[in-house]
Amino acid sequence: MKNLYSFALFLMLFLTIGSIFGEGIEKNIYKLDSITITSTKWQNVTVITAKDIEKSNKKNLEEILSGIAGLNFSRGMKGEISIFIRGIDKSRIKVLIDGVPVNDAYYDTVNIDMLPVEMIQKIEIYKGLSSSKFGVNNLGGVINIISKNAKSNNFSFNSQVTSNLGGKLDTFTSLNIDKFSFILSYTDSFSDGYSLSKKFISVVNEGGGYRENSAYDKKSLLLKTIYNFNDNSRILFSITNINNEQELPYSTTAEKNLSKPYSIYKSPRFWRFPIWLQKNYNIAGNILIRDDLKLNFYANYLKLYNELEMYRDNDFTNIGEKDIFDDHASNFSVSLSGYKFVKFELGFLNENKYHKVMKDNYIFNETTEKEISSNFKNLYIILEKELKHFVFSINLLKNDFENDDYSYDDLNYTFKFKFNLAKNIQFSFLQGKNTHYPNLHQLADALSPDLQPEYSNEYDVYFSFNGKRLKFNIGYYEISLNNLINRDDKMAPYYNMNRAFYHGIESSLELSFGKILNYKTTVSLMEAKNLSKLGTPGDYISDMPYIPDYKITNNISFNFLRRMNASIEFNFYGKSFDYYNYDKNIVPSYSLMNFNVNYNFTFFDIYLRVNNLFDKDYYT
């Protein structure tokens, strides 16, 4: 700890001297952003703009993000999308909308489809420690989705209908009146079942076509109001309301589990959410105090209520269990950012989470109730200095966490360095430590009397070239995770594993041939090993799950006559390890070919997308 403070003081002194003798960036080039004060782009931060999304012809976040090196997705039995960044799962990834966290209170997971694609202005993907400026509890990284504002002095309306064994309606309306902006979006997605490859076979009563017991109806409404004091100061208020009804498909191992004595209770599954409600209230503001000083703040309240029912028959008449979950989370953040001899940001975050569950088990005639809560505080400082050929950045975070049974405090840090080797060639280095405190789900089921927070030590090295027609970058990372909680995903897993080690290579290449033809490829080579000592929980596992050996994406896009654009994707995924694949823990490699085309008429567009073009048999 003392060495860390000494290092920080030395760096601040060095930057001060550099600001006197070095050639700094001109002040009029620096402009404060509404989300972050960092104007330099680090290689392990990816930005996708609304223009990029429009060119891609992709209509949901999973498709948009799938081309990013290091990002992988899987779908759970409820059809929910799980995100993995460098193999680290969704409960250790923070998702933000306009800088405000939207992870649920209990599992720390998130519904990434809650915002229609048409309402997205920009997506920022921060991998690993590049996300440390958003605090802790994001070992994998952060996905920050920035929504659109209304265009000046105009009214716009957009509506889109898609179909896939059901339907989806997306509408987006914006209105600007003087200094006020109003944005309204509504999404209704419904289906009688999830579409399957004709060759897909899961359990005895399911074949190709669609998954049984997988119907859903998901409605999402977002209202956003903005008052702009001027070009650099505004205040925002938004309300999000999500109302879902959905069934849960059978476990794919239902037949095997029928031999177990509790099979009537566990498998096959006839679960459904007749009520699944989420409400999110946000207020945020950016106020320019003077040309080089800005105040940023937000307050957020998230309410999640759902009822889960289990039946012993697939027509939902003979109930076995009913669970009611009542969760909420509140967040508050304030920060001051600006530029003197260094760019700086000082901030404070406060987060409260609460969970209550009531279970009525009609089979065993049992009723149980449980409550749990936690509080987290984070104080941080970010310093960044740009010289003629160098950029230095350091982030220090002081954290405090407590609930009824556990309390922790820690100091984290991230150091970043970037050097311009030539006009278009850059080298960057990142090193630091980040902490992930137990979420409410882990605390509720914890068996260890000395449960400790997880923490990561990470190193990233990147080279990049940015030319007019060619863009290329390649990087190598190492992540050591310690005190991993619930990583082996068993029925009673809440002891700490000892250590896991992740490392890999990520690269991307973009070729532009004017406005007619563009090509982009990304390559991810990943490996993760469980290094737990013998005798510790989870020591029997060698490979960590859900991490393919490789992921290669290729996208070729064409533009014709300024009205039609089309793209074809070739994606290849290597073999991976999966605990749920009981017959064989190794999931084989597979490939996907997707195609989409969009034609623009004067007043409307026609869009077509075909996934898994050759109907190949693949795992997910």
Side-chain angles (χ1 to χ4, degrees):
M1 188 76 70
K2 186 180 293 184
N3 292 336
L4 181 58
Y5 281 121
S6 301
F7 171 69
L9 291 173
F10 170 78
L11 181 63
M12 292 176 66
L13 178 63
F14 178 80
L15 295 177
T16 305
I17 296 173
S19 68
I20 299 173
F21 296 101
E23 182 180 342
I25 188 169
E26 292 185 15
K27 187 175 179 180
N28 61 357
I29 295 177
Y30 177 72
K31 184 178 179 180
L32 288 167
D33 188 276
S34 62
I35 300 299
T36 173
I37 57 99
T38 306
S39 62
T40 52
K41 182 182 176 183
W42 300 89
Q43 277 81 0
N44 52 2
V45 178
T46 302
V47 178
I48 301 172
T49 65
K51 190 175 181 180
D52 297 330
I53 295 172
E54 184 179 351
K55 285 182 178 179
S56 73
N57 279 342
K58 296 179 179 178
K59 303 301 181 183
N60 62 63
L61 274 176
E62 181 182 4
E63 293 173 354
I64 293 168
L65 299 176
S66 62
I68 306 298
L71 266 67
N72 291 287
F73 298 87
S74 70
R75 283 190 179 267
M77 287 182 290
K78 294 178 288 185
E80 74 279 15
I81 299 172
S82 297
I83 313 170
F84 297 87
I85 299 181
R86 294 174 172 176
I88 299 176
D89 69 276
K90 60 183 179 180
S91 67
R92 294 160 176 85
I93 297 169
K94 192 175 289 185
V95 177
L96 316 174
I97 294 181
D98 293 327
V100 179
V102 292
N103 297 66
D104 74 66
Y106 189 52
Y107 289 102
D108 272 345
T109 57
V110 70
N111 174 15
I112 67 169
D113 283 331
M114 65 188 299
L115 192 68
V117 169
E118 288 73 23
M119 199 166 177
I120 297 174
Q121 180 63 35
K122 182 170 65 171
I123 306 172
E124 301 170 336
I125 302 100
Y126 299 82
K127 300 175 187 175
L129 280 172
S130 62
S131 64
S132 60
K133 72 187 188 71
F134 297 102
V136 296
N137 286 6
N138 44 276
L139 292 182
V142 163
I143 298 175
N144 186 23
I145 305 168
I146 301 169
S147 62
K148 288 181 179 178
N149 297 328
K151 296 180 181 179
S152 300
N153 300 318
N154 83 341
F155 169 81
S156 66
F157 175 80
N158 179 285
S159 183
Q160 172 184 299
V161 178
T162 57
S163 176
N164 178 20
L165 286 178
K168 184 177 181 182
L169 170 68
D170 289 313
T171 59
F172 171 77
T173 304
S174 68
L175 175 65
N176 186 279
I177 304 175
D178 194 18
K179 294 185 176 182
F180 282 96
S181 299
F182 303 92
I183 297 96
L184 176 67
S185 77
Y186 175 76
T187 298
D188 188 358
S189 180
F190 56 91
S191 175
D192 291 331
Y194 301 121
S195 177
L196 293 174
S197 164
K198 293 178 182 178
K199 300 177 182 179
F200 185 91
I201 298 175
S202 56
V203 294
V204 65
N205 57 339
E206 283 188 330
Y210 70 97
R211 293 216 62 183
E212 292 190 8
N213 203 42
S214 63
Y216 62 85
D217 187 1
K218 305 178 182 180
K219 300 178 178 69
S220 177
L221 177 70
L222 172 62
L223 174 64
K224 179 178 174 182
T225 303
I226 304 169
Y227 180 77
N228 299 285
F229 298 96
N230 51 52
D231 291 340
N232 293 293
S233 300
R234 68 172 187 168
I235 189 167
L236 175 153
F237 177 73
S238 67
I239 301 174
T240 304
N241 187 82
I242 301 174
N243 187 349
N244 292 347
E245 298 178 41
Q246 63 187 66
E247 301 172 2
L248 281 67
Y250 301 137
S251 166
T252 55
T253 57
E255 284 185 278
K256 301 180 182 67
N257 290 339
L258 287 174
S259 61
K260 296 184 178 181
Y262 54 85
S263 61
I264 191 172
Y265 175 57
K266 289 293 182 184
S267 293
R269 298 171 66 107
F270 303 105
W271 296 84
R272 69 176 181 181
F273 284 100
I275 300 176
W276 196 100
L277 301 173
Q278 179 176 323
K279 299 180 184 294
N280 201 3
Y281 303 91
N282 302 320
I283 184 169
N286 315 111
I287 300 173
L288 189 67
I289 299 173
R290 60 186 194 191
D291 290 344
D292 58 354
L293 197 62
K294 195 168 191 177
L295 178 70
N296 308 287
F297 69 89
Y298 72 75
N300 164 260
Y301 177 77
L302 188 148
K303 172 76 172 176
L304 181 65
Y305 176 89
N306 62 74
E307 295 181 2
L308 175 63
E309 296 176 345
M310 185 277 290
Y311 289 81
R312 287 176 280 176
D313 42 41
N314 59 3
D315 58 357
F316 300 107
T317 56
N318 192 0
I319 191 168
E321 181 180 310
K322 182 175 182 178
D323 302 342
I324 298 176
F325 300 89
D326 188 6
D327 302 337
H328 60 78
S330 60
N331 299 273
F332 173 75
S333 169
V334 60
S335 64
L336 194 66
S337 57
Y339 182 82
K340 280 296 185 181
F341 61 90
V342 294
K343 297 175 189 176
F344 70 90
E345 182 173 352
L346 303 172
F348 171 76
L349 303 170
N350 186 81
E351 179 182 273
N352 287 283
K353 294 183 176 182
Y354 169 81
H355 169 75
K356 181 179 181 180
V357 59
M358 294 165 283
K359 291 179 176 287
D360 285 322
N361 192 307
Y362 301 98
I363 295 176
F364 299 109
N365 193 26
E366 292 179 349
T367 300
T368 59
E369 186 173 308
K370 182 184 293 185
E371 296 182 43
I372 190 168
S373 62
S374 69
N375 176 254
F376 166 74
K377 296 180 178 67
N378 177 211
L379 185 66
Y380 68 92
I381 178 172
I382 303 172
L383 302 171
E384 183 174 304
K385 178 63 180 177
E386 296 188 32
L387 303 175
K388 185 175 182 179
H389 298 292
F390 300 89
V391 180
F392 296 94
S393 177
I394 187 169
N395 184 5
L396 297 175
L397 304 95
K398 178 66 173 67
N399 315 295
D400 292 286
F401 173 89
E402 63 179 351
N403 84 324
D404 293 338
D405 300 314
Y406 300 93
S407 63
Y408 317 102
D409 62 87
D410 198 7
L411 180 69
N412 297 327
Y413 72 97
T414 303
F415 171 71
K416 295 187 286 187
F417 163 82
K418 184 164 70 173
F419 176 67
N420 296 318
L421 298 172
K423 182 179 180 181
N424 297 319
I425 302 175
Q426 293 179 338
F427 163 81
S428 68
F429 171 80
L430 177 149
Q431 193 272 326
K433 173 195 170 189
N434 199 2
T435 303
H436 177 87
Y437 295 103
N439 59 39
L440 294 184
H441 176 232
Q442 293 166 333
L443 290 169
D445 295 320
L447 300 176
S448 174
D450 55 351
L451 187 70
Q452 293 296 314
E454 303 172 348
Y455 66 92
S456 67
N457 291 298
E458 181 181 338
Y459 298 86
D460 283 21
V461 180
Y462 270 86
F463 286 93
S464 69
F465 172 82
N466 288 302
K468 186 177 181 180
R469 302 287 186 187
L470 171 66
K471 294 181 180 179
F472 172 75
N473 74 71
I474 185 169
Y476 173 78
Y477 64 87
E478 288 187 1
I479 305 173
S480 175
L481 293 186
N482 300 271
N483 297 339
L484 285 173
I485 307 169
N486 190 26
R487 202 60 175 95
D488 60 346
D489 207 15
K490 300 300 180 185
M491 293 300 294
Y494 296 95
Y495 298 94
N496 289 6
M497 292 172 62
N498 183 257
R499 182 171 178 258
F501 180 73
Y502 297 71
H503 67 134
I505 295 174
E506 299 172 348
S507 70
S508 67
L509 171 68
E510 294 183 53
L511 292 173
S512 176
F513 303 94
K515 296 182 179 180
I516 299 176
L517 178 64
N518 291 277
Y519 170 72
K520 181 177 181 180
T521 181
T522 65
V523 178
S524 306
L525 306 176
M526 294 169 279
E527 184 182 32
K529 293 292 183 182
N530 178 12
L531 303 181
S532 297
K533 295 179 180 178
L534 290 176
T536 60
D539 63 1
Y540 57 90
I541 303 165
S542 57
D543 297 297
M544 304 301 286
Y546 315 118
I547 303 172
D549 291 343
Y550 60 85
K551 171 189 168 185
I552 302 172
T553 67
N554 297 274
N555 183 284
I556 304 173
S557 59
F558 311 87
N559 291 281
F560 306 97
L561 305 175
R562 297 185 179 181
R563 284 186 174 270
M564 185 173 75
N565 53 63
S567 68
I568 188 165
E569 303 165 13
F570 300 89
N571 300 328
F572 305 92
Y573 301 84
K575 66 179 186 299
S576 60
F577 181 81
D578 185 359
Y579 297 111
Y580 288 116
N581 192 14
Y582 292 100
D583 286 337
K584 192 175 182 181
N585 288 130
I586 299 299
V587 178
S589 60
Y590 64 94
S591 60
L592 284 174
M593 183 177 178
N594 309 319
F595 171 78
N596 65 57
V597 60
N598 188 84
Y599 191 88
N600 175 251
F601 291 90
T602 304
F603 299 106
F604 64 94
D605 294 352
I606 292 180
Y607 168 81
L608 171 69
R609 179 176 177 89
V610 182
N611 288 325
N612 193 18
L613 195 61
F614 295 134
D615 195 26
K616 300 286 288 184
D617 190 16
Y618 59 96
Y619 179 75
T620 53

